[in-house]
Protein backbone atom coordinates (compact mmCIF):
# COMPACT_ATOMS: atom_id res chain seq x y z
CA UNK A 1 0.00 0.00 0.00
CA UNK A 2 1.20 3.47 -0.78
CA UNK A 3 -0.10 6.96 -0.17
CA UNK A 4 0.67 10.03 -2.25
CA UNK A 5 -0.25 13.67 -2.28
CA UNK A 6 -0.85 14.36 -5.90
CA UNK A 7 -0.71 18.06 -5.14
CA UNK A 8 2.50 18.92 -3.31
CA UNK A 9 1.31 22.26 -1.97
CA UNK A 10 -1.52 23.63 0.14
CA UNK A 11 -4.69 24.46 -1.80
CA UNK A 12 -7.83 26.24 -0.73
CA UNK A 13 -10.07 24.35 -3.12
CA UNK A 14 -9.99 21.67 -5.80
CA UNK A 15 -10.12 24.43 -8.40
CA UNK A 16 -6.54 25.36 -7.42
CA UNK A 17 -5.32 22.03 -8.87
CA UNK A 18 -3.59 22.55 -12.18
CA UNK A 19 -3.94 20.41 -15.29
CA UNK A 20 -0.28 19.39 -14.81
CA UNK A 21 -1.07 18.09 -11.32
CA UNK A 22 -4.06 16.15 -12.65
CA UNK A 23 -1.86 14.68 -15.38
CA UNK A 24 0.76 13.75 -12.76
CA UNK A 25 -1.82 11.69 -10.88
CA UNK A 26 -2.88 9.89 -14.06
CA UNK A 27 0.77 9.18 -14.87
CA UNK A 28 1.34 7.74 -11.39
CA UNK A 29 -1.74 5.53 -11.75
CA UNK A 30 -0.63 4.34 -15.18
CA UNK A 31 2.91 3.61 -13.99
CA UNK A 32 2.06 1.76 -10.77
CA UNK A 33 -1.30 0.18 -11.73
CA UNK A 34 -2.72 0.16 -8.19
CA UNK A 35 -5.55 -2.21 -7.28
CA UNK A 36 -7.60 0.82 -6.22
CA UNK A 37 -7.43 4.59 -5.91
CA UNK A 38 -8.78 6.30 -2.82
CA UNK A 39 -9.40 10.03 -2.48
CA UNK A 40 -9.67 11.73 0.89
CA UNK A 41 -12.51 14.21 0.58
CA UNK A 42 -15.46 14.43 -1.77
CA UNK A 43 -14.39 17.58 -3.60
CA UNK A 44 -11.05 16.20 -4.82
CA UNK A 45 -12.69 12.92 -5.82
CA UNK A 46 -15.53 14.68 -7.57
CA UNK A 47 -13.13 17.00 -9.36
CA UNK A 48 -10.92 14.15 -10.57
CA UNK A 49 -13.80 11.97 -11.76
CA UNK A 50 -16.00 14.62 -13.35
CA UNK A 51 -13.73 17.55 -14.25
CA UNK A 52 -14.51 20.00 -15.79
CA UNK A 53 -18.20 19.45 -14.90
CA UNK A 54 -18.01 19.28 -11.12
CA UNK A 55 -21.75 19.62 -10.52
CA UNK A 56 -22.11 15.81 -10.27
CA UNK A 57 -22.58 14.61 -6.73
CA UNK A 58 -20.79 11.67 -5.22
CA UNK A 59 -21.09 9.74 -1.98
CA UNK A 60 -18.41 8.24 0.19
CA UNK A 61 -17.40 4.68 -0.64
CA UNK A 62 -16.88 2.88 -3.94
CA UNK A 63 -17.59 5.09 -6.95
CA UNK A 64 -19.40 4.07 -10.12
CA UNK A 65 -16.67 5.64 -12.27
CA UNK A 66 -13.14 4.29 -12.49
CA UNK A 67 -9.81 5.84 -13.42
CA UNK A 68 -8.13 3.87 -16.20
CA UNK A 69 -10.31 0.89 -15.23
CA UNK A 70 -9.19 1.05 -11.59
CA UNK A 71 -11.85 1.20 -8.86
CA UNK A 72 -12.12 4.52 -7.01
CA UNK A 73 -13.09 5.02 -3.39
CA UNK A 74 -13.84 8.25 -1.57
CA UNK A 75 -13.40 8.61 2.19
CA UNK A 76 -14.15 11.55 4.49
CA UNK A 77 -11.29 13.89 5.36
CA UNK A 78 -10.31 14.67 8.91
CA UNK A 79 -10.65 18.42 8.57
CA UNK A 80 -12.71 20.25 11.13
CA UNK A 81 -13.65 22.91 8.55
CA UNK A 82 -16.27 20.79 6.79
CA UNK A 83 -19.34 19.02 8.14
CA UNK A 84 -18.71 17.16 11.34
CA UNK A 85 -18.87 13.42 10.88
CA UNK A 86 -18.66 11.04 13.80
CA UNK A 87 -15.54 8.88 14.05
CA UNK A 88 -17.47 5.59 13.76
CA UNK A 89 -19.14 6.84 10.59
CA UNK A 90 -15.78 7.85 9.08
CA UNK A 91 -14.18 4.57 10.11
CA UNK A 92 -16.79 2.62 8.16
CA UNK A 93 -15.67 4.33 4.94
CA UNK A 94 -11.96 3.87 5.68
CA UNK A 95 -12.54 0.13 6.15
CA UNK A 96 -14.24 -0.29 2.76
CA UNK A 97 -11.09 -0.10 0.59
CA UNK A 98 -9.34 -2.67 2.79
CA UNK A 99 -12.35 -4.99 2.63
CA UNK A 100 -12.44 -4.55 -1.14
CA UNK A 101 -8.74 -5.46 -1.45
CA UNK A 102 -9.16 -8.51 0.79
CA UNK A 103 -12.14 -9.78 -1.17
CA UNK A 104 -10.49 -9.18 -4.56
CA UNK A 105 -7.28 -10.96 -3.53
CA UNK A 106 -9.17 -14.03 -2.32
CA UNK A 107 -11.14 -14.42 -5.56
Amino acid sequence: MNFINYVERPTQSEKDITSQELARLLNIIQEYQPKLVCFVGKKCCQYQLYMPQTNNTIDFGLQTRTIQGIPVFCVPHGSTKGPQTQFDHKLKYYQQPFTYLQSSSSS
Side-chain angles (χ1 to χ4, degrees), residues 35-36 95-107:
K35 294 185 192 258
L36 66 83
Q95 291 170 330
Q96 287 179 2
F98 293 100
T99 303
Y100 176 87
L101 287 174
Q102 288 174 336
S103 67
S104 67
S105 68
S106 64
S107 28

Side-chain angles (χ1 to χ4, degrees), residues 5-74:
N5 286 324
Y6 77 97
V7 177
E8 298 287 340
R9 60 188 170 74
T11 58
Q12 290 189 356
S13 96
E14 70 281 359
K15 300 214 175 16
D16 293 337
I17 300 169
T18 67
S19 58
Q20 291 85 7
E21 289 164 329
L22 291 172
R24 177 179 172 264
L25 176 64
L26 295 177
N27 289 336
I28 290 169
I29 291 170
Q30 186 171 6
E31 179 179 349
Y32 291 99
Q33 291 293 300
K35 294 185 192 258
L36 66 83
V37 173
C38 184
F39 289 94
V40 178
K42 283 185 179 181
K43 287 185 179 184
C44 281
C45 185
Q46 179 182 27
Y47 190 70
Q48 182 65 45
L49 291 176
Y50 295 103
M51 192 205 76
Q53 297 175 335
T54 58
N55 58 342
N56 296 293
T57 58
I58 62 168
D59 291 318
F60 293 125
L62 181 63
Q63 302 303 301
T64 56
R65 286 197 171 189
T66 63
I67 296 177
Q68 300 176 1
I70 297 169
V72 175
F73 282 83
C74 180

